[in-house]
């Protein structure tokens, strides 16, 4: 098997990412712990060596008081004081009257060191490019009570650092073993934790056409955002599938009659040799084809409008006072052909909303189509814009036969047509208007046209601030 396929090179691994994320902090923790151990060991070594340094100073003082009648240090004692296996230690004895009595002349305590008492004082000093730690004490010369002696013992810092390093080297294996054990436990925990996803994976994998929600039962808290996102996706898929099924059912329902009529009139034309009968059949076929085309177009428009309810879409700021007159002007020639006087009435100032130009055009086209189809020749139809508080109201009004108020609540339902209407239609125009209005957050209202008869359809849009603001 290809090694790349075997190891999944190029594919992200959650387990590897988790372990890497944990391993790096563990290594940093090991380094930090080693640093802390070394600093702690150095502090401890300094403390022990400082105590030993004080003891050596006190021993030298005692020796000066009991075993050195002339104030000098015996060669054997001097050797012991200065001996260090890999270096050199220092001591000095200074007399206030005679100066250096014994030891290294460079080892002198700083001035003011003995201001706080007669206890041995510790300090750092540099001699011959060596850093030293020294302890000094003042004593009365036992051979000359009027004389003061300064007794100092100093040592290099090498032993202190060496002992701290030894402690560190002794602790590193134990710390490494501890970190390795912690990493092994983390690896086992990650492995066990990821296995909690196996039942969920199997549950989803066993589904074929089931889009029911996964739900929150038996789902770890950390996975809930993922499962809820999947449930949201399932909900959108169910909605889309329902729309598709509804479209297929609607298309079958609405196209069945025109297709059956086409078949009947085609058979009439084939079976007859009378030119008038053939011409009448062809006229019926042409009318049925036009009806089928319009029905299919409106079914597609309704499906798009229903799909848009589940989408945010891209909106822009639109000035209805400029857009609506332009769209109305595009339909004037059709209104003239239908014998209807189509006009516009609106303010001169801008009326801003957040919307989609193409959906608004489809909404207005369906409202105008509805008026052209049902108002009748010789009638008036007016598209109006007004401001109502914080809303922008667009209204389409005609003085045709109108709709009885009892049916207002059902206007906007799919395939609903007012009983008694003689005009052909699919009952989808106002349903499309309703869906597009809902997508814009607008409200659709139906009224009887005041003083004229006919129907008035109002769409109230929430207003928006102009882009320049």
């Amino acid at each position: 098997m290809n090694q790349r396929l075997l190891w999944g090179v190029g594919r992200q691994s959650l387990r590897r990412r988790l372990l890497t994320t944990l391993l790096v902090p563990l290594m940093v923790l090991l380094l930090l712990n080693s640093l802390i151990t070394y600093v702690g060991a150095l502090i401890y070594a300094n403390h022990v060596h400082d105590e030993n340094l004080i003891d050596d100073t006190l021993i030298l003082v005692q020796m000066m008081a009991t075993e050195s009648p002339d104030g000098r240090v015996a060669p054997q004692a001097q050797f012991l004081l200065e001996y260090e296996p890999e270096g050199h230690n220092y001591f000095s004895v200074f007399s206030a009257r005679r100066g250096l009595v014994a030891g290294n002349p460079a080892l002198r305590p700083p001035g003011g060191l003995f201001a706080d008492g007669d206890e041995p004082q510790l300090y750092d000093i540099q001699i011959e490019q060596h850093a030293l730690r020294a302890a000094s004490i003042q004593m009365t010369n036992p051979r000359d009570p009027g004389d003061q002696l300064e007794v100092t013992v100093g040592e290099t810092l090498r032993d202190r650092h060496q002992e701290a390093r030894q402690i560190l080297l002794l602790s590193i294996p134990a710390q490494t073993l501890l970190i390795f054990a912690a990493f092994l436990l983390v690896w086992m925990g990650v492995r066990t934790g990821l296995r909690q996803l196996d039942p969920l994976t199997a549950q989803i994998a066993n589904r074929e056409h089931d889009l029911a929600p996964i739900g929150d039962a038996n789902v770890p808290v950390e996975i809930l955002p993922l499962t809820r996102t999947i449930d949201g996706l399932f909900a959108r898929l169910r909605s889309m599938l329902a729309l598709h099924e509804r479209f297929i059912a609607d298309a079958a329902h609405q196209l069945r009659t025109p297709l059956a009529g086409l078949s009947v009139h085609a058979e009439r034309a084939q079976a007859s040799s009378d030119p008038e009968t053939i011409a009448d059949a062809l006229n019926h076929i042409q009318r049925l084809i036009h009806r089928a085309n319009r029905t299919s177009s409106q079914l597609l428009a309704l499906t798009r409008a229903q799909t848009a309810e589940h989408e945010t879409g891209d909106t822009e700021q639109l000035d209805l006072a400029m857009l609506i007159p332009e769209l109305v002007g595009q339909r004037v020639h059709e209104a003239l052909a239908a014998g209807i006087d189509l006009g516009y009435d609106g303010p001169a100032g801008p009326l801003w909303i957040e919307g989609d130009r193409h959906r608004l055009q489809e909404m207005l086209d369906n409202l105008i189509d509805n008026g052209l189809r049902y108002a009748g020749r010789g009638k008036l139809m007016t598209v109006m814009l007004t401001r109502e508080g914080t809303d922008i109201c667009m209204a389409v009004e005609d003085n045709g036969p109108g709709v009885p108020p009892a049916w207002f609540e059902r206007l906007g339902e799919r395939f609903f047509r007012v009983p008694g209407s003689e005009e052909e239609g699919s009952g989808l125009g106002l349903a499309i208007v309703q869906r597009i209005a809902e997508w814009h957050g607008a409200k659709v209202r139906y009224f009887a046209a005041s003083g004229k008869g006919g129907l008035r359809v109002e769409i109230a849009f929430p207003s928006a601030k102009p882009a320049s603001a």
Side-chain angles (χ1 to χ4, degrees), residues 157 213 229 298:
L157 304 180
T229 302
Q298 288 198 307

Side-chain angles (χ1 to χ4, degrees), residues 193-232:
L194 291 178
R195 284 180 178 173
Q196 301 298 319
L197 298 178
D198 292 344
L200 179 61
T201 303
Q203 178 186 350
I204 298 176
N206 291 332
R207 295 188 177 198
E208 293 184 359
H209 304 289
D210 184 11
L211 295 178
I214 299 173
D216 296 345
N218 301 323
V219 177
V221 175
E222 294 78 7
I223 310 300
L224 279 178
L226 175 61
T227 57
R228 288 172 179 173
T229 302
I230 295 175
D231 286 345

Side-chain angles (χ1 to χ4, degrees), residues 30-356:
L30 176 60
L31 294 176
L32 182 61
N33 192 31
S34 299
L35 178 61
I36 294 174
T37 301
Y38 178 77
V39 172
L42 185 59
I43 292 174
Y44 175 76
N46 284 333
H47 176 72
V48 172
H49 277 261
D50 284 349
E51 290 184 348
N52 291 336
L53 194 61
I54 291 174
D55 291 341
D56 291 342
T57 305
L58 293 177
I59 290 174
L60 180 58
V61 168
Q62 184 178 6
M63 185 178 63
M64 293 289 296
T66 59
E67 300 179 6
S68 180
D70 57 354
R72 299 188 180 274
V73 179
Q76 296 84 355
Q78 181 174 345
F79 173 79
L80 293 175
L81 288 171
E82 295 180 342
Y83 173 76
E84 185 182 5
E86 298 181 6
H88 185 74
N89 286 335
Y90 303 85
F91 79 98
S92 68
V93 178
F94 279 89
S95 168
R97 291 183 176 179
R98 294 181 294 163
L100 179 66
V101 175
N104 193 315
L107 188 61
R108 291 294 305 268
L113 181 67
F114 304 105
D116 296 332
D118 296 331
E119 294 295 326
Q121 302 296 315
L122 295 166
Y123 58 93
D124 297 318
I125 191 173
Q126 191 84 12
I127 296 179
E128 300 175 359
Q129 298 182 348
H130 296 294
L132 302 181
R133 182 72 167 168
S136 295
I137 188 171
Q138 279 188 341
M139 62 176 290
T140 302
N141 191 337
R143 305 299 176 227
D144 185 0
D147 187 19
Q148 288 287 325
L149 298 179
E150 288 181 354
V151 180
T152 304
V153 177
E155 65 178 12
T156 59
L157 304 180
R158 189 190 64 82
D159 286 346
R160 302 170 184 239
H161 291 286
Q162 185 176 3
E163 290 175 7
R165 286 193 296 269
Q166 289 175 349
I167 294 175
L168 175 62
L169 292 176
L170 290 174
S171 66
I172 283 180
Q175 293 176 3
T176 303
L177 182 62
L178 182 61
I179 292 295
F180 178 76
F183 181 75
L184 183 62
L185 291 175
V186 168
W187 179 78
M188 295 178 60
V190 169
R191 185 178 180 183
T192 304
L194 291 178
R195 284 180 178 173
Q196 301 298 319
L197 298 178
D198 292 344
L200 179 61
T201 303
Q203 178 186 350
I204 298 176
N206 291 332
R207 295 188 177 198
E208 293 184 359
H209 304 289
D210 184 11
L211 295 178
I214 299 173
D216 296 345
N218 301 323
V219 177
V221 175
E222 294 78 7
I223 310 300
L224 279 178
L226 175 61
T227 57
R228 288 172 179 173
T229 302
I230 295 175
D231 286 345
L233 175 61
F234 283 171
R236 292 192 293 272
L237 288 175
R238 289 196 302 271
S239 177
M240 295 298 297
L241 290 175
L243 287 175
H244 293 165
E245 292 173 359
R246 182 183 299 174
F247 172 78
I248 293 171
D250 293 345
H253 177 268
Q254 290 298 309
L255 296 178
R256 183 184 299 114
T257 300
L259 291 176
L262 285 172
S263 178
V264 170
H265 290 295
E267 291 175 359
R268 280 182 59 206
Q270 289 176 341
S272 176
S273 59
D274 182 12
E276 292 184 0
T277 302
I278 295 174
D280 181 65
L282 292 176
N283 287 333
H284 278 86
I285 289 173
Q286 184 177 16
R287 188 167 62 251
L288 289 171
I289 290 174
H290 177 74
R291 176 181 174 185
N293 282 335
R294 176 173 174 77
T295 299
S296 61
S297 298
Q298 288 198 307
L299 282 171
L300 290 173
L302 178 62
T303 301
R304 287 195 301 270
Q306 290 173 331
T307 304
E309 295 177 11
H310 308 281
E311 301 174 353
T312 56
D314 294 328
T315 62
E316 57 180 324
Q317 291 198 338
L318 299 171
D319 180 9
L320 292 187
M322 292 184 62
L323 177 62
I324 299 303
E326 176 186 345
L327 299 180
V328 171
Q330 297 175 6
R331 303 300 304 274
V332 169
H333 65 285
E334 295 181 47
L336 292 176
I340 292 179
D341 184 3
L342 175 62
Y344 167 77
D345 182 18
L351 297 172
W352 295 95
I353 69 164
E354 288 279 348
D356 180 88

Side-chain angles (χ1 to χ4, degrees), residues 294 331 364-375 381 398 403 429-430 455 457:
R294 176 173 174 77
R331 303 300 304 274
L364 184 60
D365 284 344
N366 277 278
L367 288 172
I368 293 176
D369 286 342
N370 194 67
L372 296 180
R373 182 174 296 274
Y374 296 106
M381 181 165 50
D398 62 66
V403 176
L430 292 179
L455 177 67
V457 183

